[in-house]
Amino acid sequence: MADMVIAGDRVLVGDGFRPAAVFVADGRIARVGAIEEAPDDAVRLAPDEVLLPGLVDTHVHVNEPGRTEWEGFRTATAAAAAGGVTTLIDMPLNAIPPTVDVPALEVKRAAAAPAALVDVGFWGGAVPASLGRLRALWDEGVFGFKCFLAPSGVDEFPHLVREQLDAALDELAAFDGLLIVHAEDPAVLDRAANAGGRDYPAFVASRPEEAETAAIRAVLDGLRRTGGRAHVLHLSAASAVPLVREAKAEGLRITAETCPHYLVFDEGHIPSGATEYKCCPPIRDAANQDALWAALVDGTIDLVVSDHSPSTAERKFAGDGDFQVAWGGIAGLQFGLPAVWTEARRRGVPLETVVGWFSRATADFVGLTAKGRIEAGADADLAVFAPDEAHRVEVDELRFRNPVSAYLGHDLVGVVRRTVLAGTPIDPAAPPRGRLLRRG
């Protein structure tokens, strides 16, 4: 007996859309049948709707506790659900305490448990003080360990110098743990530093592509030595793509992600003083963007995630448009799929390919093989999407805590109309039903 059946002419099953009926029982997909098998009381998609697997966002800064005025689990997961995201993995900063030991992880879980509208997992942090004791967090179920190779922007989460990066890779290789890396080289950043100001190209010049390529080379050298696993976060520099491609061909265990803001915005269209577009590494020029798209299509870049890193408006616009002063982070958790799909349509990239970058690829990356797919045995996490509906992003639709976003005022194509978690539609006004996830 099915608890619910969803039927439609365009259901994303495997690598393509087809007519299907999805039978849901006990929070899971019991089977995927022919559309003719759907009973009379089945939920029917509208002619302009498609059924997608729930998206999995493995790069989200929720910030609770400690900086909950920037974001929190209730608001972040409401934004996730509005964007078709049914699972997110929370970064170990910018909350206080950062998730660098087991007691801090327990604090995070206690904050998330009563508030999460979607399923939530957690990354641990590799900072100088946590090296040598990462295994305890791994055994408690974190999905891997985040590190910075340049200053993080918050004092309580210091970066690793080269010797500490090597020590972290050695430690993680002993239990096959995963290191996820903010890859910018501090020496390159120091050489490129400038006076800042409202000029966006000056900000880009202060964080050149070389900062990313130098840091990624250091990570790859460590993988050659240890045989371990690493992942490059928010890749923005096209010049780093050949390094990743060659490392994969060499057999190194390296993966990489990029973000919607690098795929849909470019340097030439960012106004002077528009610090809502500030992120690190920065949004670069249109030719760089073209190369990132090519690397996604050919599989060099593995997945797309939001890197949702919000703050208060006061911090985001600090310095009256000075890019060196304002907080660096894009609030975009709610808009990743429609933003990338809008640009993908223009480039001739099919919807099923785009959805794969946000769902199956991200789920498999963190070992959540019951997520990100519509197939028998998978979690019944689903999103109903209208891929042809156009809309302009307005402030009243923002679900994250602070109504600040680089996407405000932009025209997008594609609207998430409903999101289903474990077989039940998500209602932001209802008691939260999100589960706390552990690796494995």
Side-chain angles (χ1 to χ4, degrees):
M1 295 291 293
D3 299 326
M4 177 175 66
V5 180
I6 304 177
D9 290 329
R10 291 185 291 170
V11 178
L12 185 55
V13 181
D15 295 328
F17 288 98
R18 65 176 175 85
V22 180
F23 292 77
V24 174
D26 298 324
R28 290 185 174 268
I29 297 172
R31 66 186 182 93
V32 180
I35 192 170
E36 293 79 11
E37 299 178 58
D40 292 341
D41 62 352
V43 176
R44 302 274 177 171
L45 299 183
D48 66 336
E49 294 177 341
V50 300
L51 186 66
L52 308 178
L55 310 184
V56 177
D57 193 334
T58 58
H59 193 150
V60 179
H61 295 268
V62 177
N63 305 335
E64 184 179 8
R67 291 191 175 97
T68 310
E69 71 275 14
W70 296 14
E71 188 64 282
F73 282 102
R74 186 61 182 255
T75 50
T77 57
V85 175
T86 52
T87 300
L88 64 82
I89 312 296
D90 174 58
M91 283 290 166
L93 74 163
N94 300 301
I96 302 173
T99 316
V100 296
D101 53 33
V102 172
L105 176 62
E106 292 171 348
V107 169
K108 272 282 189 82
R109 285 176 168 157
L117 292 160
V118 304
D119 289 353
V120 176
F122 301 91
W123 295 107
V127 298
S130 67
L131 298 182
R133 50 193 183 90
L134 298 177
R135 182 62 187 260
L137 269 173
W138 183 253
D139 290 344
E140 277 298 310
V142 299
F143 287 84
F145 300 88
K146 166 85 172 276
C147 75
F148 280 75
L149 301 186
S152 71
V154 291
D155 293 341
E156 68 275 3
F157 202 94
H159 70 286
L160 303 182
V161 300
R162 177 61 183 270
E163 295 77 11
Q164 292 165 334
L165 167 65
D166 288 339
L169 288 168
D170 286 339
E171 182 178 354
L172 295 180
F175 55 87
D176 203 32
L178 173 66
L179 188 68
I180 63 173
V181 185
H182 181 119
E184 289 184 287
D185 184 280
V188 176
L189 295 179
D190 287 344
R191 292 196 298 270
N194 58 39
R198 294 172 58 85
D199 182 56
Y200 184 72
F203 172 65
V204 177
S206 76
R207 304 191 87 97
E209 291 188 51
E210 182 190 355
E212 291 186 72
T213 57
I216 290 170
R217 285 191 181 97
V219 173
L220 297 177
D221 286 345
L223 295 185
R224 289 187 183 97
R225 182 176 53 80
T226 64
R229 297 191 293 148
H231 176 75
V232 178
L233 297 165
H234 43 50
L235 182 64
S236 85
S239 56
V241 167
L243 296 177
V244 176
R245 182 180 293 120
E246 291 160 10
K248 288 184 171 187
E250 184 183 337
L252 299 184
R253 301 165 73 194
I254 185 74
T255 51
E257 69 186 36
T258 194
C259 305
H261 41 272
Y262 301 128
L263 299 172
V264 303
F265 303 132
D266 67 81
E267 177 181 341
H269 291 87
I270 295 178
S272 175
T275 51
E276 62 268 29
Y277 293 94
K278 179 185 176 180
C279 56
C280 300
I283 296 164
R284 304 187 189 276
D285 63 26
N288 184 90
Q289 183 184 91
D290 289 343
L292 293 179
W293 272 97
L296 266 171
V297 170
D298 73 20
T300 303
I301 298 175
D302 299 272
L303 45 102
V304 180
V305 294
S306 70
D307 189 12
H308 179 66
S309 186
S311 71
T312 61
E314 179 183 17
R315 291 190 62 89
K316 191 60 184 165
F317 298 119
D320 189 28
D322 188 329
F323 281 95
Q324 295 293 356
V325 176
W327 175 256
I330 302 288
L333 175 60
Q334 188 172 338
F335 302 109
L337 175 60
V340 175
W341 169 232
T342 300
E343 181 67 12
R345 281 166 55 109
R346 189 180 72 81
R347 294 173 179 266
V349 179
L351 179 59
E352 54 266 36
T353 299
V354 172
V355 174
W357 297 332
F358 283 94
S359 56
R360 184 182 289 263
T362 46
D364 289 352
F365 165 57
V366 290
L368 293 174
T369 55
K371 303 281 190 186
R373 64 210 73 206
I374 297 177
E375 62 183 38
D379 290 349
D381 299 344
L382 305 163
V384 177
F385 187 59
D388 300 318
E389 181 178 340
H391 77 292
R392 176 167 293 177
V393 179
E394 304 288 356
V395 69
D396 61 357
E397 70 182 278
L398 302 185
R399 295 292 175 263
F400 30 83
R401 184 174 299 276
N402 291 283
V404 178
S405 177
Y407 293 97
L408 276 174
H410 284 275
D411 293 315
L412 303 180
V413 179
V415 173
V416 175
R417 291 184 176 166
R418 296 184 298 285
T419 304
V420 174
L421 181 71
T424 301
I426 296 174
D427 177 359
R433 297 183 299 103
R435 297 161 291 185
L436 302 188
L437 306 176
R438 296 172 181 254
R439 175 190 46 79

